[in-house]
């Protein structure tokens, strides 16, 4: 019976219990325990059997039970309290409402190809989606007026089971939107609201719009599965990251272009303020920029005359933020250029009215090593967003190197890509026991944003803390056994063969969690490098270790599936199977059990290929300790005593040898440091030094790893600036956008005429014998030819600093030179730079475009430096 189509019949709730419907329809229950308790009280057994999903629960609860509850005063009091709490949460001013109004955006639209909000809404594959989900939840908690935009996939990401031989099997259960906590957006007359995107050959892809309430944040999900689309086009939203080129391109056109149209429709219908800022969460969302350009060219959002293409690009860029999540070129979304041309430059383009060549140029890899046949979504994202960032400090640096080709002439550290380190939504990921323990010590949850709040938490009684940790470990043990039993049944084993599962894991043994997607850089099997040594660790007579592993390989990744099989086969062996377990179907529920119940969270990616990683943050908030390669977020916040850093063999180019070295370091750490600390209990059975480390972890990481901190960073560092830039260009009939586009065109045209004619440094080049002294100043003069440009168009800078190995200045000090005179295109500049360190140094002078609307001197990728041997980076010696 394969071809089952699902449908859902909704319960009709009695009037007195109608609040149940409202509570189920807003995902706040995901992070609000009292609301979940109300549902559990409806029918405890049913609650468990529907996987603690309120929406399913309401579909299955019997009428008799509802009739009983109707007259149950105690239940109704709880229900009313939960409903009142939700109303207060939705309506009251929160953090954002108390911030400075001056450049605070009215609304922000956040676009992502996936969202991990709850296991009950399987619209995510991994970290990117979980991050997007945590972003929305935290925005809601903070009162940030965000609108989320995504696609509704009929099959979400796949479910994973194992074959008898330990091979990953995939299935794609169909989700029925009627059975999900989402409602269809309807137009004025009650008909389903619809958005559309034109496709080549005159076809039109249309989508219905579903609204998912994530606390205060509406998430719009576009759904192509409806009778208005021909069957071929309904498949566009079948699977998350399913299919290749054309399928994926159409998904992204729907997300970006259809998504902006859905936002406009929603804001109109719901009376929601118009977003001033658009956030592209990874390149998948890049097409939103083109639609916004089209809008401005059609005069939408502009007082006065519609804008021309270049003007519209400026207006759109100013209000756009782009976040990149991959540290490797292979991780970037790229399409064949011809495919993009067909969709954007044919006779029925997805975004009409744009100059085709310019659109294709936006995604062109027109830099050394670029592929001319490719349209690169991240490149387009960078060009259509004035603000861009990576997701940890290290990843920001890696991204500046990776995208350097877009800003030729600038050193990587000047590439205008910043970073906001990811965070996690505490109330989603922290065990209730731990939340209660924390809440008992801290009254105001805002205190968790500061170390002081966490210092209060760690004043908790050590015995209590340790008991809480054991409770969570014990729960993981029980959960592991249940899941392992189900997995073995699916692998064809009978109950009679599975008696041993009752002895799998031990609630008093040091538990290491290791769960992630299985791309090769995450090295799922590094721990298997020396199987005998791992076996000895697992079976140590006094200090044993147990490991729970989970992870999905991409369906097309045979190599990843082989790695899973290796782990499964090892953990199937009878001598170790009670100490190492692979659990299939890693999802948010399993992730929560693992991060809550593990004492140690292991992560051993190939540095620096983990952009951020977030699972270790979840573990830390639950009192787990990180044991990780210094990559992503851990590179930034490991402080020497809040966990352990696995030393990396960064310079070793032979991957086998590198794995050997890093695996050995991992075994040594577990043997010599981790296990002895865990088992070093005092007379009362408390491992004092371990608990000290847990407390230090909470104080040092607690305030940092929160997604509320992350969202606040985006508001302060990106959204506000984008709103200010956008207003500056759009106010007064978009005069700013018109002027900026004209200015850029003039500067670009005139730039070849900009030349540095002459540079000299007083006291050095004049041969005045006496070298300059530390604490003094270097007097610099330059003569610059500006051709057709005016002095107001440029900035002339001197850079002074140490000369690095590659003949570049290392982190130079920058001094702006003042114009002292000149005419007819030839201008004299003078200024001084402080000399702060002794030793040999160098200086150079450069000319950059200058305009108040530029955010970074590198923004236009234009720079003029002296021609070689004309004074560039002359050596100076400081005493
Ligand atoms: C947190 C989480 C991730 C991301 O974890 P990483 O640290 O990036 O590996 C992936 N999948 C699920 C289900 C998660 O909960």
């Amino acid at each position: 019976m394969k071809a089952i189509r699902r449908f859902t019949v909704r319960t009709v709730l009695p009037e007195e219990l109608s609040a149940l419907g409202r509570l189920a329809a807003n995902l706040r229950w995901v992070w609000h325990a009292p609301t979940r308790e109300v549902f559990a009280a409806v029918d405890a057994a049913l609650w468990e059997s529907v996987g603690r999903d309120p929406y399913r629960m309401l579909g299955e609860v019997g009428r008799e039970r509802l009739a009983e509850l109707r007259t149950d005063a105690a239940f109704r009091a709880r229900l009313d309290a939960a409903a009142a709490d939700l109303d207060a949460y939705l309506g009251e001013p929160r953090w954002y409402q108390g911030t400075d109004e001056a450049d605070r955006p009215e609304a922000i639209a956040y676009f992502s190809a996936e969202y991990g909000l709850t296991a009950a809404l399987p619209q995510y594959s991994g970290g990117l989606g979980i991050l997007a989900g945590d972003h929305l939840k935290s925005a809601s908690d903070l009162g940030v007026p965000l609108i989320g935009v995504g696609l509704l996939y009929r099959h979400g990401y796949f479910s994973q089971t194992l074959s008898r031989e330990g091979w990953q099997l995939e299935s794609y259960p169909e989700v029925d939107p009627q059975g999900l906590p989402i409602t269809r957006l309807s137009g004025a007359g009650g008909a389903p609201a619809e958005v559309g995107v034109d496709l080549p050959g005159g076809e039109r892809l249309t989508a219905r719009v579903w609204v998912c309430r994530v606390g205060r944040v509406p998430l719009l999900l576009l759904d192509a599965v409806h009778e208005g689309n021909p069957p071929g086009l309904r498949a566009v939203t079948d699977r998350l990251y399913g299919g290749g080129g054309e399928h994926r391109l159409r998904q992204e056109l729907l997300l970006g272009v259809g998504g902006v149209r859905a936002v406009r429709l929603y804001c109109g219908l719901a009376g929601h303020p118009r977003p001033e800022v658009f956030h592209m969460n990874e390149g998948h969302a890049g097409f939103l920029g083109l639609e916004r350009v089209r809008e401005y060219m059609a005069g939408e959002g502009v007082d006065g005359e519609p804008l021309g293409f270049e003007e519209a690009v400026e207006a759109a860029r100013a209000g756009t933020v782009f976040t990149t999540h991959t540290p490797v070129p292979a991780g970037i979304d790229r399409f064949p250029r011809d495919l993009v041309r067909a969709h954007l430059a044919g006779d029925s383009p997805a975004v009409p009215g744009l100059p085709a060549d310019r659109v294709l140029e936006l995604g062109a890899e027109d830099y050394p090593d670029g592929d001319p046949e490719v349209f690169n979504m991240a490149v387009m994202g960078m060009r259509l967003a004035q603000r861009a960032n990576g997701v940890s400090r290290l990843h920001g640096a890696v991204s500046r190197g990776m995208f350097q080709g877009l800003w030729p002439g600038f050193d990587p550290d000047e590439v205008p890509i910043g970073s906001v380190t990811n965070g996690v939504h505490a109330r989603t990921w922290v065990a209730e026991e731990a939340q209660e323990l924390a809440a008992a010590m801290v009254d105001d949850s805002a205190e968790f944003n500061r170390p002081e709040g966490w210092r209060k938490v760690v004043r908790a009684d050590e015995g209590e803390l340790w008991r809480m940790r054991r409770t969570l470990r014990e729960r993981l043990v029980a959960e592991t056994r249940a899941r392992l039993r189900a997995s073995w049944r699916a692998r064809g084993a009978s109950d009679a063969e599975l008696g041993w599962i009752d002895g799998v894991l031990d609630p008093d043994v040091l538990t290491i969690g290791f769960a992630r997607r299985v791309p090769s850089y995450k090295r799922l099997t590094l721990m298997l490098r020396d199987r005998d040594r791992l076996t000895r660790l697992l079976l140590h007579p006094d200090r044993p270790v147990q490991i729970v592993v989970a992870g999905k390989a991409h369906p097309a990744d045979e190599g990843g599936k082989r790695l899973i099989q290796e782990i499964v086969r090892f953990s199937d062996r009878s001598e170790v199977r009670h100490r190492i377990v692979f659990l299939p179907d890693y999802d948010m529920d399993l992730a929560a059990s693992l991060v809550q119940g593990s004492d140690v969270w292991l992560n051993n990616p190939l540095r620096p290929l983990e952009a951020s990683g977030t699972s270790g943050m979840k573990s830390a908030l639950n009192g787990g300790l990180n044991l990780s390669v210094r990559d992503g977020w851990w590179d930034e916040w490991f402080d020497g005593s809040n966990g352990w850093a696995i030393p990396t063999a960064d310079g070793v180019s032979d991957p086998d040898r590198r794995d050997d070295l890093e695996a050995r370091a991992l075994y040594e750490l577990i043997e010599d440091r981790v296990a002895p600390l865990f088992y070093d209990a005092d007379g009362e059975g408390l491992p004092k030094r371990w608990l000290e480390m847990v407390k230090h972890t909470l104080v040092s990481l607690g305030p940092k790893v929160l997604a509320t901190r992350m969202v606040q960073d985006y508001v302060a560092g990106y959204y506000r600036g984008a709103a200010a830039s956008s207003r500056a260009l759009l106010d007064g009939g978009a005069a700013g956008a018109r002027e900026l586009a004209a200015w850029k065109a003039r500067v670009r045209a005139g730039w070849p005429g900009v030349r540095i004619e002459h540079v000299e440094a007083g006291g050095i080049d004049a041969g005045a014998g006496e070298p300059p002294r530390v604490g003094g100043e270097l007097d610099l003069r330059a003569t610059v030819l500006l051709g057709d440009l005016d002095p107001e168009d440029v900035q002339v800078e001197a850079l002074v600093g140490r000369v690095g190995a590659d003949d570049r200045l290392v982190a130079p000090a920058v001094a702006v030179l003042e114009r002292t005179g000149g005419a007819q295109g030839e201008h004299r500049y003078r200024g001084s730079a402080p000399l702060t360190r002794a030793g040999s140094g160098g200086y150079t002078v450069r000319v950059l475009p200058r305009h108040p609307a530029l955010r970074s001197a590198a923004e236009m990728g234009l720079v003029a430096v002296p021609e070689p041997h004309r004074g560039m980076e002359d050596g100076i010696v400081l005493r």
Side-chain angles (χ1 to χ4, degrees), residues 124 126-127 130 429 515-516 522 586-588 591 613-615 618:
Y124 61 92
I130 306 290
W429 296 109
R516 46 212 67 256
K522 297 223 186 206
Y586 183 45
D587 69 355
M588 287 183 73
T614 53
S615 51
K618 303 169 193 166

Side-chain angles (χ1 to χ4, degrees), residues 124-131 134 422 424 429 515-517 521-522 586-592 595 601 603 610 612-618 633:
Y124 61 92
S125 73
L128 180 73
I130 306 290
L131 177 84
D134 283 2
N422 285 344
V424 296
W429 296 109
R516 46 212 67 256
R517 288 177 304 113
Y521 79 84
K522 297 223 186 206
Y586 183 45
D587 69 355
M588 287 183 73
D589 282 343
L590 180 52
V595 298
W601 195 254
N603 192 18
E610 178 102 302
S612 167
T614 53
S615 51
M617 301 180 177
K618 303 169 193 166
W633 73 278

Side-chain angles (χ1 to χ4, degrees), residues 122-188:
Q123 302 284 318
Y124 61 92
S125 73
L128 180 73
I130 306 290
L131 177 84
D134 283 2
H135 195 102
L136 298 197
K137 291 170 184 171
S138 300
S140 170
D141 289 345
L142 293 166
V144 177
L146 211 77
I147 302 176
V149 181
L151 300 179
L152 181 74
Y153 304 98
R154 279 311 163 101
H155 298 273
Y157 203 53
F158 70 93
S159 295
Q160 178 195 49
T161 52
L162 297 174
S163 75
R164 183 93 203 187
E165 294 72 39
W167 191 253
Q168 168 176 302
L169 304 174
E170 298 107 29
S171 61
Y172 293 87
E174 184 181 340
V175 299
D176 169 20
Q178 302 287 355
L180 297 177
I182 55 181
T183 49
R184 201 157 65 184
L185 184 65
S186 300

